[in-house]
Amino acid sequence: MSAKRVVVTGLGAITPIGNTVSEFWESLLAGKSGAGPITQFDASNHKTKFACQVKGFVPENFVNSKELRRLDTFVVYALVTAEEALKDSGLDLEKEDLERIGVVVGSGIGGLQVMADQQQILRDQGPGRVSPFLIPRLICNMAAGHISMRFGLKGPNTCPVTACATGTHAIGDAFKIIQRDQATIILAGGAESAITALGVAGFENMKALSGRNDSPQTASRPFDKDRDGFVIGEGAGVLVLEELEHARARGARIYAEVVGYGMTGDAFHITAPAPEGEGAARSMRMALEDAGLPPTAVDHINAHGTSTPMNDKNETAAIKTVFGEHAPKIAVSSNKSMIGHLLGAAGGVEAVAMALSIQNDIVPPTINYTTPDPECDLDYTPNEARRRPVRVALSNSLGFGGHNTTIVFKKLDWSPAG
């Protein structure tokens, strides 16, 4: 039996620059930064006092107060983006076989705030006062679980947890499940809400965060020579992936086709990438081989592009290794220059952007690019969005622990020969 073809038919996003897909995309193309002073906790005694927070989001508009007490924020983000993606897809769940619709939504960290809160209660009031909802609120798989329960989706249900590679692993895993005909439709992506005192302290003490407290909006500067760390963000991105013939039969709008998936391990270091981005290069090669496309077919790379000294240098080296003479012709960009690093949600949100790039033939910019780095010498779409054909796009996500993953989207029915 030949592998099923898989397409993207719905998009959902909550981000630091917009709480819907349309708001996010408009802000992304405008080069709007989502960074600002932290307001979710008192950061006065922290080294880093800013982040890319979700703004103006009112959970009570989407979840009743009783249920809200049982959900961490990352799960609420996941539920809302899943609902947006389903509405966008035009699916009528009453007409679908719900045993053929699955959920693959991950989180890199899960309920960090509820863990910290309940630990304080344990210290102050003893074990009898710890919430019985502690575990169901903090574990990463509850985003996928609650989406499944909210919409009655009884197909494959799972949750990758691979740090900053989580969202892209989720989409790739979902793609393969549909390809194998184990589901017809899957909601896939990632959600994260780790802008907490504990989360920020952990990242700043490992010297991963930018220290530009005097200029938060220019702090995330991927591939720029003066980059000094990432800006932590939060949110969620969920896509509806669907078997092609099913989508065509119901007249669905198709954003792009999912054609390739790669994943590798660095086997090198808990946080640092392998030298020259060796693991990332193998992931990109694997994804292109899976897609059956030559490197010269790629028009756009949505880079991991964290704005850390090591990632950007090594990801650039990996791109040059894989694409050779074609590398300078590719429009590379990093959404993280605007939304910050959404950790486990990054791959989901960035896949939303990639699908829209293909649909609209436009590449979002990498903002705050002012000083070229000799070790980062590709076309990073500096500071302004660019209109150009985007027939094939590739997205990288690289996580602590040496997890590398890549997905490839293309315009439906486009091929290098046609």
Side-chain angles (χ1 to χ4, degrees), residues 2 11 17 53 56 87 89 114 121 131 135 171 184 187 213 215 296 304 388 400 418:
S2 60
L11 304 174
I17 58 173
Q53 299 175 130
K87 286 181 179 177
S89 73
V114 69
I121 289 172
S131 171
I135 304 303
I171 294 164
T184 303
L187 277 68
N213 291 305
S215 183
T296 52
H304 189 54
R388 62 160 293 170
F400 286 173

Side-chain angles (χ1 to χ4, degrees), residues 92-260:
D92 182 351
L93 294 182
E94 293 185 359
K95 297 179 180 178
E96 299 294 337
D97 179 357
L98 299 183
E99 294 183 6
R100 295 281 302 174
I101 305 179
V103 185
V104 183
V105 173
S107 179
I109 294 180
L112 194 58
Q113 185 61 57
V114 69
M115 187 186 301
D117 290 345
Q118 293 298 312
Q119 176 65 33
Q120 191 63 48
I121 289 172
L122 175 64
R123 285 198 193 101
D124 295 346
Q125 302 178 41
R129 302 302 298 173
V130 170
S131 171
F133 296 107
L134 167 62
I135 304 303
R137 285 180 69 189
L138 72 85
I139 51 180
C140 293
N141 65 297
M142 277 297 162
H146 277 286
I147 292 169
S148 170
M149 290 182 278
R150 170 70 64 90
F151 301 106
L153 310 180
K154 298 182 178 181
N157 189 295
T158 187
C159 164
V161 182
T162 49
C164 308
T166 295
T168 302
H169 270 135
I171 294 164
D173 290 352
F175 162 53
K176 290 299 175 184
I177 291 168
I178 297 173
Q179 233 187 20
R180 297 192 299 263
D181 198 29
Q182 293 176 318
T184 303
I185 299 160
I186 296 183
L187 277 68
E192 203 78 88
S193 179
I195 303 176
T196 67
L198 185 61
V200 171
F203 281 118
E204 69 188 3
N205 287 342
M206 66 186 292
K207 303 187 186 306
L209 299 182
S210 170
R212 293 176 183 267
N213 291 305
D214 58 338
S215 183
Q217 294 196 334
T218 65
S220 185
R221 43 199 319 113
F223 306 106
D224 187 271
K225 185 178 181 181
D226 297 327
R227 65 193 183 275
D228 71 330
F230 73 79
V231 179
I232 190 171
E234 63 177 348
V238 173
L239 293 80
V240 174
L241 303 189
E242 187 169 351
E243 191 273 321
L244 173 61
E245 294 310 316
H246 184 276
R248 280 178 165 160
R250 67 181 187 86
R253 173 187 52 200
I254 294 172
Y255 288 96
E257 183 174 5
V258 192
V259 291

Side-chain angles (χ1 to χ4, degrees), residues 337-398:
S337 61
M338 292 164 277
I339 63 174
H341 194 346
L342 273 61
L343 310 176
V349 172
E350 290 162 18
V352 168
M354 189 166 65
L356 291 169
S357 288
I358 288 174
Q359 183 194 47
N360 295 289
D361 286 315
I362 188 166
V363 176
T366 302
I367 68 167
N368 300 322
Y369 187 84
T370 58
T371 308
D373 182 343
E375 293 187 295
C376 298
D377 55 354
L378 298 176
D379 176 4
Y380 302 111
T381 320
N383 302 314
E384 292 187 2
R386 183 184 307 158
R387 291 198 173 275
R388 62 160 293 170
V390 184
R391 296 154 297 196
V392 177
L394 175 153
S395 184
N396 287 326
S397 292
L398 317 173

